[in-house]
Amino acid sequence: MADDASDPARLAFDEQALALADDVWRVARRLTRDLQAAEDLVQEAYARAFRSWRSYEPGTNMRAWLLRILHNLAIDNARKQQRAPEQLGLEADDYYLYDRLGGAKNAVADVDRLVERLSPGPVLDALSELSLPFREVVVLVDLGDLSYQEAADVLDIPVGTVMSRLHRGRRVLKKALADAAGEDAA
Amino acid sequence: MSAETRPEPCVHAERCMQAYVDRALSVEEVRTVEAHLAGCPTCARCYSLEAEVRTAVREACAEPCPESLRRELRRICDDCDCE
Ligand SMILES: [Zn+2]
C-alpha cells in the first residue's frame, strides 16, 4: 500500500488519472500494433504516472501530461525494436475529397453518404498506414483533444512542426479515405 | 479544381481550414472564414467534408479501455510504492 494513500491530493490525482483511461487507451491503441502491446504500454504509462505523481502540476492538462509519459515510453519501445524509417505515403491536395467525390453537383446528399462510406475499417487501415510521426500528431490532436501547443509539448517539437505534420498526415489520410469511399461507391 | 485556378479568397479559406476545424483561429479569423463560407458553396462543402473526416476518425477510434485493463490500472495504483 502506498505510504501516502490517505493524502487527499494523491487520491484526487488517482481518480483524475484513472478517469482518463479511455483517452489514454485510444491513443495507445493507435500507436501500437496490437491489443497486447497497447495494454502493456498503458500499464507502463500508468505505473510511471503513479510513481511520479508529484511531478504533475495540479490545474494543468492531466491528459496532456499522461500522453507525454505514454509518448516517451512508446519511443523507447520503438527504439528497442529498431524499426526501419517509415514513409509518409501519398499526399493529396487539401480539397481532394471534394474533387474526388464529385464536387458541388451532388453537394448536400453526398455529405450524408460520406459518413456511411467512411466505415471504421478503412479509417483504421488508413491511420495505421500513416507513419508514426504523422500518425502520432493526428492521434494526439483528434483523439487526445490536445491543442497544437500541448501536442508540441508532448512530442517535444516546435508547434510549427506539429501543424505541418498534422496537415500532411491528414492529407494522406484524406486521400486514402477518398479512394476507399470512391471504391465502395463504384 | 486546382490551386492555380482558385480565386484568392478560396485559396485563403483552404489555408485556414485545418486551424478552423481544430478551433485554433482567432475570433476575427473565424469571422473572415465564415463570411467566405456563407457565400462559397465549394469551400463550405470542403470544410464540411473535413469535419466529416475528423468525426469519422474519432468514431472509428472510440473503443473504450477494456474493463480488465481498467481493473489492472486500479491495482497498479493501489500497489504503487511512491513517496
Ligand atoms: Zn471559396
Short mmCIF file of all heavy atoms in Angstrom, two decimals, chain A residues 95 98, chain B residues 1 6 9-11 13-14 17 33 36-37 40-49:
data_model
loop_
_atom_site.label_atom_id
_atom_site.label_comp_id
_atom_site.label_asym_id
_atom_site.label_seq_id
_atom_site.Cartn_x
_atom_site.Cartn_y
_atom_site.Cartn_z
N TYR A 95 -8.25 19.86 -50.93
CA TYR A 95 -9.63 19.76 -51.40
C TYR A 95 -9.85 18.50 -52.23
O TYR A 95 -10.79 18.39 -52.99
CB TYR A 95 -10.01 21.01 -52.21
CG TYR A 95 -10.38 22.21 -51.34
CD1 TYR A 95 -10.12 22.24 -49.98
CD2 TYR A 95 -11.00 23.32 -51.90
CE1 TYR A 95 -10.45 23.33 -49.21
CE2 TYR A 95 -11.34 24.43 -51.14
CZ TYR A 95 -11.08 24.42 -49.78
OH TYR A 95 -11.42 25.51 -49.03
N TYR A 98 -13.18 16.65 -51.97
CA TYR A 98 -14.19 17.39 -52.73
C TYR A 98 -14.10 17.03 -54.20
O TYR A 98 -15.08 16.68 -54.85
CB TYR A 98 -13.98 18.88 -52.53
CG TYR A 98 -14.89 19.75 -53.35
CD1 TYR A 98 -16.13 20.14 -52.84
CD2 TYR A 98 -14.53 20.19 -54.61
CE1 TYR A 98 -16.97 20.94 -53.57
CE2 TYR A 98 -15.36 20.99 -55.36
CZ TYR A 98 -16.59 21.36 -54.85
OH TYR A 98 -17.41 22.15 -55.58
N MET B 1 -10.79 21.16 -59.97
CA MET B 1 -10.46 22.41 -59.26
C MET B 1 -9.02 22.32 -58.75
O MET B 1 -8.69 21.48 -57.93
CB MET B 1 -11.41 22.56 -58.06
CG MET B 1 -11.22 23.88 -57.36
SD MET B 1 -12.41 24.10 -56.01
CE MET B 1 -11.93 22.81 -54.88
N ARG B 6 -8.09 28.62 -58.50
CA ARG B 6 -8.99 29.00 -57.42
C ARG B 6 -8.86 30.50 -57.13
O ARG B 6 -7.76 31.01 -57.08
CB ARG B 6 -8.60 28.21 -56.17
CG ARG B 6 -9.74 27.53 -55.51
CD ARG B 6 -9.22 26.61 -54.42
NE ARG B 6 -8.99 25.27 -54.90
CZ ARG B 6 -8.09 24.44 -54.38
NH1 ARG B 6 -7.31 24.82 -53.41
NH2 ARG B 6 -7.96 23.23 -54.87
N PRO B 9 -9.75 34.40 -52.36
CA PRO B 9 -10.43 34.13 -51.09
C PRO B 9 -10.57 32.63 -50.82
O PRO B 9 -10.53 32.20 -49.67
CB PRO B 9 -11.81 34.77 -51.28
CG PRO B 9 -11.64 35.76 -52.37
CD PRO B 9 -10.59 35.21 -53.28
N CYS B 10 -10.71 31.83 -51.87
CA CYS B 10 -10.82 30.38 -51.70
C CYS B 10 -9.47 29.79 -51.28
O CYS B 10 -9.41 28.88 -50.45
CB CYS B 10 -11.30 29.71 -52.98
SG CYS B 10 -12.98 30.19 -53.43
N VAL B 11 -8.41 30.31 -51.88
CA VAL B 11 -7.07 29.85 -51.51
C VAL B 11 -6.83 30.15 -50.03
O VAL B 11 -6.32 29.32 -49.28
CB VAL B 11 -5.98 30.52 -52.39
CG1 VAL B 11 -4.59 30.16 -51.89
CG2 VAL B 11 -6.15 30.10 -53.84
N ALA B 13 -9.16 30.52 -47.75
CA ALA B 13 -10.04 29.64 -46.96
C ALA B 13 -9.42 28.26 -46.81
O ALA B 13 -9.47 27.65 -45.73
CB ALA B 13 -11.42 29.54 -47.61
N GLU B 14 -8.82 27.77 -47.88
CA GLU B 14 -8.20 26.44 -47.81
C GLU B 14 -7.05 26.44 -46.81
O GLU B 14 -6.88 25.50 -46.04
CB GLU B 14 -7.71 26.00 -49.19
CG GLU B 14 -7.11 24.60 -49.15
CD GLU B 14 -6.67 24.07 -50.50
OE1 GLU B 14 -6.97 24.71 -51.52
OE2 GLU B 14 -6.03 23.01 -50.52
N MET B 17 -8.27 26.12 -43.25
CA MET B 17 -9.20 25.03 -42.94
C MET B 17 -8.79 24.19 -41.73
O MET B 17 -9.61 23.92 -40.85
CB MET B 17 -9.37 24.14 -44.17
CG MET B 17 -10.47 23.11 -44.03
SD MET B 17 -10.96 22.40 -45.61
CE MET B 17 -9.52 21.42 -46.03
N VAL B 33 -13.40 33.79 -42.28
CA VAL B 33 -13.60 32.49 -42.94
C VAL B 33 -15.09 32.22 -43.11
O VAL B 33 -15.56 31.85 -44.19
CB VAL B 33 -12.93 31.35 -42.14
CG1 VAL B 33 -13.43 29.99 -42.61
CG2 VAL B 33 -11.42 31.42 -42.29
N HIS B 36 -16.75 34.05 -45.82
CA HIS B 36 -16.47 33.46 -47.13
C HIS B 36 -17.30 32.20 -47.35
O HIS B 36 -17.90 32.02 -48.42
CB HIS B 36 -14.99 33.16 -47.30
CG HIS B 36 -14.69 32.48 -48.60
ND1 HIS B 36 -14.77 33.13 -49.82
CD2 HIS B 36 -14.35 31.20 -48.88
CE1 HIS B 36 -14.50 32.27 -50.79
NE2 HIS B 36 -14.23 31.10 -50.25
N LEU B 37 -17.36 31.34 -46.36
CA LEU B 37 -18.09 30.08 -46.49
C LEU B 37 -19.58 30.32 -46.79
O LEU B 37 -20.20 29.57 -47.54
CB LEU B 37 -17.96 29.24 -45.22
CG LEU B 37 -16.56 28.75 -44.84
CD1 LEU B 37 -16.62 27.86 -43.60
CD2 LEU B 37 -15.88 28.00 -45.97
N CYS B 40 -19.76 30.85 -50.50
CA CYS B 40 -19.00 29.99 -51.41
C CYS B 40 -19.31 28.52 -51.10
O CYS B 40 -18.72 27.92 -50.22
CB CYS B 40 -17.50 30.25 -51.28
SG CYS B 40 -16.50 29.19 -52.34
N PRO B 41 -20.26 27.94 -51.86
CA PRO B 41 -20.67 26.55 -51.60
C PRO B 41 -19.51 25.56 -51.73
O PRO B 41 -19.47 24.56 -51.00
CB PRO B 41 -21.71 26.26 -52.69
CG PRO B 41 -22.10 27.58 -53.26
CD PRO B 41 -20.98 28.53 -53.00
N THR B 42 -18.57 25.85 -52.63
CA THR B 42 -17.44 24.93 -52.82
C THR B 42 -16.61 24.82 -51.54
O THR B 42 -16.36 23.73 -51.04
CB THR B 42 -16.55 25.40 -53.99
OG1 THR B 42 -17.33 25.40 -55.18
CG2 THR B 42 -15.35 24.49 -54.16
N CYS B 43 -16.20 25.97 -51.00
CA CYS B 43 -15.40 25.95 -49.78
C CYS B 43 -16.22 25.41 -48.60
O CYS B 43 -15.71 24.67 -47.77
CB CYS B 43 -14.85 27.34 -49.46
SG CYS B 43 -13.46 27.79 -50.54
N ALA B 44 -17.50 25.79 -48.55
CA ALA B 44 -18.35 25.33 -47.46
C ALA B 44 -18.40 23.81 -47.45
O ALA B 44 -18.32 23.16 -46.40
CB ALA B 44 -19.75 25.90 -47.59
N ARG B 45 -18.49 23.23 -48.65
CA ARG B 45 -18.54 21.78 -48.75
C ARG B 45 -17.20 21.14 -48.38
O ARG B 45 -17.17 20.11 -47.71
CB ARG B 45 -18.94 21.37 -50.16
CG ARG B 45 -18.88 19.90 -50.39
CD ARG B 45 -20.05 19.42 -51.21
NE ARG B 45 -19.77 18.10 -51.78
CZ ARG B 45 -19.80 16.99 -51.05
NH1 ARG B 45 -20.06 17.05 -49.78
NH2 ARG B 45 -19.56 15.83 -51.63
N CYS B 46 -16.11 21.76 -48.79
CA CYS B 46 -14.79 21.24 -48.42
C CYS B 46 -14.62 21.24 -46.90
O CYS B 46 -14.11 20.29 -46.32
CB CYS B 46 -13.69 22.06 -49.07
SG CYS B 46 -13.58 21.79 -50.85
N TYR B 47 -15.08 22.31 -46.27
CA TYR B 47 -14.99 22.39 -44.81
C TYR B 47 -15.83 21.31 -44.15
O TYR B 47 -15.42 20.71 -43.16
CB TYR B 47 -15.43 23.78 -44.32
CG TYR B 47 -14.31 24.79 -44.23
CD1 TYR B 47 -13.57 25.15 -45.36
CD2 TYR B 47 -13.99 25.38 -43.02
CE1 TYR B 47 -12.55 26.08 -45.28
CE2 TYR B 47 -12.95 26.32 -42.92
CZ TYR B 47 -12.25 26.67 -44.05
OH TYR B 47 -11.24 27.58 -43.97
N SER B 48 -17.02 21.08 -44.69
CA SER B 48 -17.86 20.08 -44.03
C SER B 48 -17.29 18.68 -44.25
O SER B 48 -17.36 17.84 -43.35
CB SER B 48 -19.33 20.19 -44.46
OG SER B 48 -19.49 19.70 -45.75
N LEU B 49 -16.68 18.44 -45.40
CA LEU B 49 -16.03 17.14 -45.62
C LEU B 49 -14.87 16.96 -44.64
O LEU B 49 -14.66 15.88 -44.09
CB LEU B 49 -15.50 17.04 -47.06
CG LEU B 49 -16.54 16.75 -48.14
CD1 LEU B 49 -15.92 16.89 -49.52
CD2 LEU B 49 -17.12 15.35 -47.97
#
